[in-house]
Amino acid sequence: MAQNVFAVGASKNIGYFTSLRLLAAGANITFLLRSTSAFDNDEKMQGYIKSGKAHLVKGDGLVREDVQKAWTAASKHGPIDLLLFTVGGVPSYSLLKGFVITPPNLVTQCLLNTLCTMPQQTDQPKIVALTSMGISHSAHSKVPLALKPIYGYALTEPHKDKLGAERLIAHVSGEPWDSKNWDEPKAEIMGGANWQQHEGLPQPGSLNRILVVRPAMFAGEGCEAEKPKGKRYRVSEGDISGYTITREDVAHFIADAVLNRWDEYEGKRVNVVF
């Protein structure tokens, strides 16, 4: 049976490349887009839109009502099988802070809105959420020496946001938060000191069908996994050392996990790197 997918943050990059793979496999996808013109010049996506497999909903993940509207639209096509959450900001550079995104809790707030407006249905949807390698203390220790300045300075602010997303996921999935290995996100990232009482937030341990994907730093284009002599990415639950990954290869992994290997990856947090 074709999967019914709700995609947040899939207008480009990993979410977009994953969506194309899922659509090619017969999925039905509802996209939440700040601009529904995002696919106007995209021949591949236009084909799926015209065939009624891709559905575009105008809205902003930072606006709770917009996310609720998109969930409702996705539910019109049947129970939702998969939430594909791949929100990421377009960073600017600050000499003092390195790369920064606006707002600084973009990913966390969008994920909070998405989780708090999930519809009630008999079968819990699968959830794939994108964060990043190198956020926990143990993961940071595995970062190659040459990349330490990038992870320790340039990516500090975006990683605070990804840390917030990890904290949310740990809460709703009931995963213990190891304060020795993970910092506690600041209140402003979480939307307030009492974020656990946010209206609609699923109860601790109530969502257990979550796959968290933590990619390495992005570099290069194309899908190496599909090239005869291309690099082969590595997937590890444990902290792993490595330099880069392409967005297309992360999408290759996510689509494969969703379509072919969900029983293997459900409930896991994995790092993806060449």
Side-chain angles (χ1 to χ4, degrees):
M1 182 180 295
Q3 297 200 41
N4 186 25
V5 181
F6 177 38
V8 184
S11 64
K12 56 186 176 180
N13 296 329
I14 292 172
Y16 169 78
F17 295 125
T18 303
S19 295
L20 284 180
R21 291 180 178 277
L22 297 178
L23 286 165
N28 182 91
I29 303 183
T30 299
F31 294 86
L32 174 62
L33 302 168
R34 281 182 293 176
S35 173
T36 53
S37 64
F39 301 140
D40 280 359
N41 298 316
D42 188 318
E43 185 177 344
K44 289 184 179 179
M45 195 62 75
Q46 282 298 314
Y48 292 116
I49 293 170
K50 292 174 182 177
S51 68
K53 300 299 290 183
H55 314 274
L56 314 185
V57 177
K58 181 177 177 58
D60 190 331
L62 291 169
V63 179
R64 180 186 173 107
E65 292 76 14
D66 288 357
V67 184
Q68 178 71 73
K69 177 180 66 175
W71 273 118
T72 301
S75 297
K76 291 179 180 179
H77 307 289
I80 296 163
D81 301 297
L82 171 68
L83 165 62
L84 177 64
F85 184 89
T86 54
V87 172
V90 178
S92 58
Y93 186 76
S94 164
L95 189 60
L96 295 177
K97 294 185 176 181
F99 291 110
V100 294
I101 57 174
T102 304
N105 68 337
L106 172 69
V107 176
T108 305
Q109 187 61 53
C110 287
L111 180 59
L112 184 64
N113 286 340
T114 303
L115 294 177
C116 288
T117 55
M118 286 182 65
Q120 296 294 319
Q121 55 183 49
T122 303
D123 294 321
Q124 185 183 123
K126 309 179 186 77
I127 300 174
V128 173
L130 192 73
T131 61
S132 178
M133 275 180 61
I135 300 178
S136 70
H137 298 303
S138 59
H140 187 78
S141 71
K142 292 288 188 178
V143 172
L145 184 61
L147 296 183
K148 291 285 188 183
I150 297 176
Y151 278 78
Y153 161 65
L155 296 176
T156 297
E157 295 303 313
H159 278 183
K160 289 179 182 179
D161 190 16
K162 296 296 179 69
L163 175 67
E166 290 270 4
R167 185 69 183 92
L168 272 177
I169 294 166
H171 176 78
V172 299
S173 65
E175 179 182 345
W177 190 252
D178 182 1
S179 59
K180 293 182 179 179
N181 191 37
W182 293 84
D183 292 331
E184 189 67 33
K186 294 182 178 180
E188 54 265 33
I189 293 292
M190 303 303 296
N194 298 318
W195 60 268
Q196 295 96 333
Q197 280 76 54
H198 201 90
E199 180 185 357
L201 185 66
Q203 292 297 309
S206 62
L207 299 182
N208 49 35
R209 306 191 71 195
I210 304 178
L211 167 62
V212 178
V213 181
R214 301 166 177 162
M217 192 169 67
F218 300 124
E221 296 182 355
C223 183
E224 292 287 331
E226 293 183 329
K227 298 177 182 179
K229 295 183 179 181
K231 300 176 184 178
R232 293 296 179 265
Y233 56 76
R234 295 173 289 152
V235 180
S236 173
E237 282 190 80
D239 297 319
I240 186 171
S241 181
Y243 286 86
T244 63
I245 191 69
T246 69
R247 292 177 173 86
E248 290 93 329
D249 278 281
V250 179
H252 181 280
F253 164 71
I254 293 175
D256 182 44
V258 169
L259 295 171
N260 306 313
R261 305 169 67 182
W262 187 254
D263 288 344
E264 179 181 349
Y265 286 112
E266 180 177 288
K268 295 184 177 179
R269 286 86 172 105
V270 299
N271 302 288
V272 185
V273 62
F274 285 139

